[in-house]
């Protein structure tokens, strides 16, 4: 069963965000992850949404998500990410 990580993002520092984004793909590769979508909010059709950007990354399974997120490579990027953006990071898996 595949799993997806969805990030809802509000960029605070564009330069630091670009640095973070440039380093993330190398942390994903060992876990078989694929970037499916990265984009900016076009419209809110219903309800509320606090963030301006979204990213969707597909992993082979939930274990790969947990391995990636807990990896030393990704953990090393979290301080930069926190300086660069406010982020809600969610995991969803097939049922």
């Amino acid at each position: 069963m595949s799993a997806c990580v969805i990030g809802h993002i509000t960029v605070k520092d564009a330069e630091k965000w670009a640095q973070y984004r440039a380093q993330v793909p190398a942390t994903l590769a060992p876990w078989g992850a694929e970037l499916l979508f990265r984009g900016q909010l076009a419209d809110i059709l219903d309800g509320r949404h606090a963030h301006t950007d979204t990213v969707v990354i597909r992993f082979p399974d939930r274990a790969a998500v947990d391995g990636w997120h807990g990896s030393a490579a990704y953990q090393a990027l979290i301080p930069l990410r926190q300086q660069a953006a406010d982020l809600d990071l969610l995991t969803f898996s097939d049922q």
Side-chain angles (χ1 to χ4, degrees), residues 6-67:
I6 299 175
H8 297 289
I9 306 146
T10 298
V11 176
K12 300 184 292 190
D13 183 321
E15 184 177 315
K16 287 182 180 179
W17 184 247
Q19 293 171 12
Y20 168 80
R21 281 181 46 183
Q23 295 178 62
V24 170
T27 71
L28 297 170
W31 303 100
E34 173 188 9
L35 177 65
L36 296 181
F37 177 82
R38 180 185 291 145
Q40 293 187 324
L41 179 65
D43 197 5
I44 298 172
L45 300 176
D46 227 335
R48 297 183 195 123
H49 188 72
H51 298 287
T52 57
D53 294 26
T54 296
V55 63
V56 180
I57 304 165
R58 182 173 46 209
F59 289 80
D61 52 37
R62 180 64 196 271
V65 171
D66 294 340

Side-chain angles (χ1 to χ4, degrees), residues 60-81:
D61 52 37
R62 180 64 196 271
V65 171
D66 294 340
W68 163 74
H69 191 265
S71 71
Y74 186 70
Q75 288 295 309
L77 292 180
I78 290 177
L80 178 59
R81 185 194 78 197

